[in-house]
């Protein structure tokens, strides 16, 4: 089984809808991250969490919210989706000692119509 | 201006060629430098990382960091079709400060190695 899983893998939604992307990990890491990837822009950090009680905004947090339900679970929500949130979303984890090594999930491809 | 700049390519080379991938950066606080590889429809995975300046070699891959020029490179020798992927550079500062623990990624370079 994969160490970092994301659901759903693909999602089509309409403008204004609320959607949630979920991430689970079995690596036992404290640190979890949400990124979006757009062509020509690379990976941009949306939110990150260093433990269950610690949530921090990344460089592009507007329009997004997160919930760290447990050490192993980190969810990303789009409260009212808009077309420019169409992107590939990745969850990642790392431990304190090896922050350079982030383990990524397979990604969620989101299309907002 | 982005903190990390990477030529997105695409880069297409014949099998066996030497490939050079590069990133420049503006934040002098960056101390850890990484290269991630991302195959199509997959998440990125760490390929190599180096601390501060110098070279690091791992098989056909060599990572170089020149902090005086704020420039990092990844060289791939004897490139193979299986090396075809997107390569992303990433970096972070040392401990402390608001950037601690966060990676800043380049835009990624799409590489195709054709037989």
């Amino acid at each position: 089984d994969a160490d970092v899983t994301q659901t759903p893998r693909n999602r089509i939604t309409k403008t204004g809808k609320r959607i949630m992307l979920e991430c689970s990990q079995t690596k036992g890491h404290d640190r979890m991250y949400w990124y979006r990837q757009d062509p020509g822009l690379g990976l941009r950090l949306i939110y990150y969490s260093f433990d269950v009680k610690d949530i921090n905004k990344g460089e592009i947090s507007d329009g997004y919210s997160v919930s760290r339900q447990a050490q192993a679970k980190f969810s990303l929500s789009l409260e009212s989706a808009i077309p420019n949130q169409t992107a590939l979303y990745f969850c990642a984890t790392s431990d304190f000692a090896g922050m350079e090594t982030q383990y990524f999930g397979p990604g969620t491809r989101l299309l907002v119509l | 201006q982005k903190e990390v700049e990477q030529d997105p390519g695409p880069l297409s080379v014949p099998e066996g060629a030497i490939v050079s991938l590069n990133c420049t950066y503006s934040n002098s606080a960056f101390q850890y430098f990484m290269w991630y590889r991302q195959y199509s429809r997959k998440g990125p995975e760490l390929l190599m990382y180096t601390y501060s300046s110098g070279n690091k070699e791992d098989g056909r891959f060599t990572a170089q960091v020149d902090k005086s020029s704020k420039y990092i490179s990844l060289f791939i020798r004897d490139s193979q079709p299986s090396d075809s992927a997107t390569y992303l550079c990433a970096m972070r500062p040392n401990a402390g400060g608001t950037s601690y623990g966060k990676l800043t990624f380049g835009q990624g370079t799409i590489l195709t190695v054709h037989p």
Side-chain angles (χ1 to χ4, degrees):
Chain A
D1 287 342
D3 294 319
V4 184
T5 57
Q6 292 183 235
T7 56
R9 293 293 313 276
N10 296 280
R11 179 74 184 269
I12 300 174
T13 191
K14 294 182 179 181
T15 297
K17 294 291 187 181
R18 181 182 188 276
I19 66 163
M20 179 182 289
L21 309 182
E22 298 185 333
C23 177
S24 294
Q25 53 112 347
T26 58
K27 299 193 72 66
H29 290 163
D30 288 327
R31 297 174 175 221
M32 299 187 73
Y33 311 80
W34 274 105
Y35 293 91
R36 65 177 280 175
Q37 188 174 37
D38 301 274
L41 295 178
L43 284 166
R44 292 182 292 165
L45 184 63
I46 305 173
Y47 271 95
Y48 62 104
S49 170
F50 284 177
D51 65 43
V52 175
K53 297 181 181 179
D54 178 75
I55 303 288
N56 303 280
K57 293 182 177 181
E59 60 179 299
I60 54 162
S61 58
D62 287 349
Y64 301 95
S65 63
V66 290
S67 172
R68 185 81 184 265
Q69 300 96 324
Q71 186 202 36
K73 296 183 181 296
F74 193 34
S75 299
L76 176 72
S77 293
L78 286 69
E79 297 300 326
S80 179
I82 56 177
N84 77 0
Q85 291 177 313
T86 292
L88 188 53
Y89 290 85
F90 287 103
C91 172
T93 74
S94 70
D95 65 20
F96 176 80
M99 283 181 285
E100 296 71 40
T101 307
Q102 293 194 3
Y103 296 86
F104 285 80
T108 294
R109 195 170 295 271
L110 175 65
L111 174 61
V112 183
L113 300 175
Chain B
Q1 182 186 3
K2 291 177 69 67
E3 277 191 302
V4 180
E5 296 281 356
Q6 183 177 4
D7 185 344
L11 186 61
S12 180
V13 302
E15 183 175 355
I18 297 174
V19 176
S20 172
L21 305 169
N22 311 294
C23 290
T24 58
Y25 64 95
S26 57
N27 188 345
S28 58
F30 288 143
Q31 294 281 353
Y32 290 85
F33 304 92
M34 291 133 268
W35 287 95
Y36 279 77
R37 178 174 61 194
Q38 183 180 17
Y39 289 117
S40 181
R41 298 197 170 272
K42 302 284 187 182
E45 57 181 354
L46 181 69
L47 187 60
M48 297 181 70
Y49 84 88
T50 55
Y51 172 71
S52 195
S53 285
N55 294 0
K56 186 173 184 179
E57 188 172 323
D58 184 2
R60 296 184 295 108
F61 298 88
T62 300
Q64 287 187 352
V65 175
D66 181 351
K67 290 189 66 183
S68 62
S69 301
K70 296 189 176 66
Y71 189 87
I72 70 170
S73 300
L74 177 71
F75 297 95
I76 307 174
R77 292 185 302 278
D78 188 25
S79 56
Q80 303 295 309
S82 59
D83 295 328
S84 298
T86 297
Y87 290 80
L88 300 117
C89 63
M91 44 200 81
R92 73 165 180 90
N94 214 338
T98 57
S99 296
Y100 181 56
K102 297 188 297 182
L103 300 183
T104 301
F105 284 85
Q107 296 93 321
T109 300
I110 300 171
L111 171 68
T112 301
V113 182
H114 52 86

